Amino acid sequence: MLVKSAKQANRYLEHGFTTVRICGSQYRISQYVKEMVEQGSINGSRILSAGKILGTSAKEKNSGIDELDYFQDGPWAFVRAARKEFAYGADFIKIYASGSAFNPTGIPLNPIMTKEEISAAVKTANEANSYVAAHAHADQPIRDCIECGVRTIEHGTYMSQATLNLLMRALDCFWIPTLSAMFVSQTEPNERQFWLNRLQPMLEQTSNILNQAYEAGAMLGFGTDSAPNGKQYASGIEFQYRQKYAKMKNIDILLQATKNSAAIVGFAGEKGELKVSYDADLVLIDGNPAENLSVLSHQPKSVWKGGKLVYSN
């Protein structure tokens, strides 16, 4: 598994992502891969890692991925668990505030954490000069997370207008929509139909409120909730879906994937823009994505990280 993860870190680079945020990894493998990249043992993207995901026992049944989730109940348990993840090298804390779409028995509309538990995780992260990212599909958990000081809302599928208004007033909370997570790649007819029935309505729901957030000028980050060996990366699905379903302009999508995301994770003034003294992270594309976003459906010609050529096609 470590070898596979190391290869994936390199594949992120091959797709033009010089810095990636890993919101949960089995056995905390992303921490080890991060160290290998930093030490120069392997070639790969910079990694910001959450380690294991903190959730409650409400998610324990059929979670589907061993050693990814760390089940807790009660505020003190979340304090202890968050401290443990930081002790193992986590850069931030990831929590499950609502049910999961990819767990076939999960109910995305259900909250599975209390506000007290969310607050305990946030307080512990703040004490470590870090932040909390929250998996949240349902409206009430999204609202709870905003009110408790969570920094990033991952997915935000069923966010209401009232909750969007609350998010727009928040000074340090940002939405990371992941439309490509609702891309259905299965080809077996019955399996494909199951996931289409489950994910297509979620995609449409998210796109509607996301368009409203975009039109209102919300600072949006870029996420895929997908591994680089999937079609989502090879075909640039996240870029395409934001344009197609959320009616975003190409240049704004590019800013979300660069300048916005760098600022959201704490890299403002270092990464995300082409400026003097910034890290020289560059991607050479065959075409102009500001004019034609489809050029991102192919791997870049070359990638530089920190001024060093790390990939050439």
Side-chain angles (χ1 to χ4, degrees):
M1 187 174 291
L2 178 61
V3 173
K4 182 185 293 185
S5 298
K7 289 180 178 179
Q8 285 195 341
N10 186 55
R11 290 205 67 192
Y12 283 120
L13 274 184
E14 293 176 354
H15 287 283
F17 292 92
T18 55
T19 302
V20 297
R21 193 175 60 137
I22 309 298
C23 292
S25 67
Q26 292 175 272
Y27 304 99
R28 304 186 183 93
I29 283 178
S30 58
Q31 264 99 318
Y32 301 106
V33 176
K34 174 186 176 179
E35 292 180 13
M36 294 166 68
V37 172
E38 291 175 347
Q39 293 170 3
S41 301
I42 62 171
N43 197 30
S45 302
R46 295 185 196 89
I47 294 175
L48 298 174
S49 172
K52 289 188 177 183
I53 304 173
L54 308 189
T56 65
S57 57
K59 188 180 179 296
E60 190 164 4
K61 181 181 178 182
N62 293 330
S63 63
I65 305 178
D66 294 336
E67 292 298 328
L68 173 64
D69 300 327
Y70 193 18
F71 301 115
Q72 310 297 318
D73 288 294
W76 175 245
F78 274 87
V79 170
R80 182 172 60 248
R83 287 174 177 170
K84 185 172 183 178
E85 291 311 303
F86 283 126
Y88 274 99
D91 296 295
F92 63 100
I93 298 299
K94 171 72 178 297
I95 62 173
Y96 263 110
S98 76
S100 172
F102 284 97
N103 177 355
T105 63
I107 305 177
L109 285 169
N110 282 6
I112 59 174
M113 286 183 68
T114 66
K115 289 188 72 173
E116 292 75 17
E117 291 169 332
I118 297 170
S119 293
V122 169
K123 183 175 185 296
T124 306
N126 290 343
E127 291 170 351
N129 296 317
S130 186
Y131 66 90
V132 170
H135 165 103
H137 287 297
D139 185 59
Q140 187 59 54
I142 297 171
R143 176 176 287 269
D144 290 344
C145 287
I146 297 170
E147 293 176 344
C148 290
V150 165
R151 184 167 178 82
T152 63
I153 305 298
E154 314 295 323
H155 314 309
T157 309
Y158 296 103
M159 187 184 302
S160 67
Q161 183 64 58
T163 300
L164 173 59
N165 294 341
L166 180 66
L167 177 66
M168 296 292 291
R169 294 193 298 270
L171 299 177
D172 198 28
C173 185
F174 307 95
W175 186 8
I176 315 294
T178 55
L179 300 187
S180 61
M182 290 165 276
F183 171 78
V184 177
S185 60
Q186 287 83 356
T187 57
E188 194 282 321
N190 291 333
E191 184 182 15
R192 179 174 178 80
Q193 192 59 52
F194 170 83
W195 288 111
L196 282 173
N197 291 342
R198 186 171 178 83
L199 298 179
Q200 191 64 29
M202 296 179 68
L203 174 60
E204 294 172 0
Q205 175 71 29
T206 310
S207 300
N208 290 335
I209 192 66
L210 179 56
N211 174 258
Q212 294 179 48
Y214 169 68
E215 294 293 341
M219 183 173 174
L220 302 165
F222 191 90
T224 65
D225 199 28
S226 310
N229 58 332
K231 188 175 180 180
Q232 289 91 329
Y233 270 79
S235 301
I237 295 297
E238 186 66 33
F239 294 99
Q240 295 176 31
Y241 274 20
R242 292 190 182 209
Q243 180 194 59
K244 177 180 178 179
Y245 290 101
K247 312 301 180 185
M248 295 180 181
K249 294 180 180 178
N250 294 1
I251 189 64
D252 292 326
I253 300 172
L254 295 172
L255 286 170
Q256 291 160 15
T258 54
K259 181 180 179 180
N260 286 13
S261 290
I264 288 171
V265 300
F267 285 151
E270 302 175 29
K271 301 174 179 61
E273 298 182 75
L274 295 179
K275 287 187 175 181
V276 175
S277 79
Y278 278 54
D279 288 341
D281 289 358
L282 306 169
V283 179
L284 177 62
I285 302 292
D286 186 8
N288 185 352
E291 297 177 355
N292 180 9
L293 206 59
S294 68
V295 300
L296 295 177
S297 63
H298 308 288
Q299 288 181 228
K301 293 294 183 181
S302 301
V303 179
W304 289 262
K305 187 181 77 171
K308 179 182 178 181
L309 180 65
V310 291
Y311 171 74
S312 181
N313 183 2

